[in-house]
Amino acid sequence: MPFLIMQPAASPDSSTATVEQDLASTSLPTVDELLDESAAPEESAPPPRYRLPQAAVPPNIMLQSAVTRLVEQKEQIDQVARNGLLAGLLPPEWSASPGNELRAFVASVVPFASDNVRGETIAARVPLKFLLGHSQRWGKPDVAEPNSLSAYLASDERANSGVSDHAEVMLLSPLGLGWTHAGRSRVGFLRAMGVESMAARVTALPYPAPEQLALYQVSNGGLTQFWCVMDKRRLRALPVPALSLPLLTAYGVAAPQAWPSNWPAPAEVDAALALARMGKGAAEVDLVKLVDKIGRDQANDAWTGASLMQLHTWVPRWRFFLTSFIGLPAGLLLLAALALPGRVEAAAVAAALGFAGGAIAALAAPWIYARRKHLS
């Protein structure tokens, strides 16, 4: 049978002494404190609880750091551009398409990033530190009630399709980098309010593996350029290498190399890029097609024997033509009439035949040299 150890009961005198000690140790508020009408500091509200899952990002710490750095740089660019201090200094494609500025930014900074091929779309929360926005229009100082607006824009309901002020995000899953397709301006505002994630309809996008990409540093015309080539064929220029190179190298792409000597000359590639920029979409050069074009151009520049009938770029000199093909036969007929007064008909026929034969020979005989590209 276990034994219970009982504590001795406290005597009345000891209880009274304890109460007196507690009263003596308790400090009462002073009169000034009682008359102070200033409100007591409010306790910070607990963070909101969200139901949606977090969008998955690669567990690569270096890649996450590079993506966060790119997002911060884009935020700073937006702030400076909003003040008008970068007018004329940014790539023209960033502002040439109103409403698609963010998409143009991603296309120029992240080569071969596209939303043409889309994966699954789910409702999720995207960490703002990995999300690109467009903060040039408005920010926290422009909002009268920022707390209520941030709670509204950050709520899970913004990920429901069909609701007002919904958000859509395109997420390059292999990179862990996202950009807003709808709700672009709220990203910077929510980040300024200390919100960590944003609810949106998230669409997963593919991206080439690091082994498919190669970076090259090229010196052309005294200027240093950086190009990215995918699958040893598709080439795109990096207009802002300071933003692109840290992200791509952290992703696993090898550092920029020298341009291979057996590939088309940088001047020819640069000319093809300039021609591609005149079209719609991202400027891209197909190196295989460029090699074929260079081969055809070299073959067309070769000299070969040809006739006037084969040329498609020649224009007759009419004064020379009238003098040679009309005046000369007429003069020959006159001389024949004077020299052979009894045989004018025979001389005329001989002159006409000679004129016709000379004309046919001049047009059809390959007595000239021309480049192949000038032949029909």
Side-chain angles (χ1 to χ4, degrees), residues 267-279 283 285:
E268 295 174 339
V269 177
D270 193 44
L273 279 172
L275 185 61
R277 292 188 184 99
M278 300 176 61
V285 174

Side-chain angles (χ1 to χ4, degrees), residues 55-58 63-64 66-68 70-72 74 102-103 105-106 110 113 115 125-134 168-184 187 191 198 200-205 207 247:
V57 296
L63 181 58
Q64 292 183 7
V67 171
T68 303
L70 176 61
V71 171
E72 294 174 351
K74 176 61 168 62
L102 188 55
R103 186 179 182 183
F105 174 85
V106 175
V110 189
D115 56 359
R125 301 195 65 85
V126 184
L128 291 176
K129 63 180 180 179
F130 303 142
L131 185 60
L132 293 169
H134 190 68
E168 297 180 10
V169 169
M170 301 295 171
L171 180 64
L172 292 170
S173 300
L175 292 176
L177 174 66
W179 74 89
T180 45
H181 181 69
R184 297 181 293 270
V187 176
R191 192 180 293 116
M198 186 184 82
R201 300 284 299 174
V202 182
T203 301
L205 302 178
Y207 193 71
L247 177 66

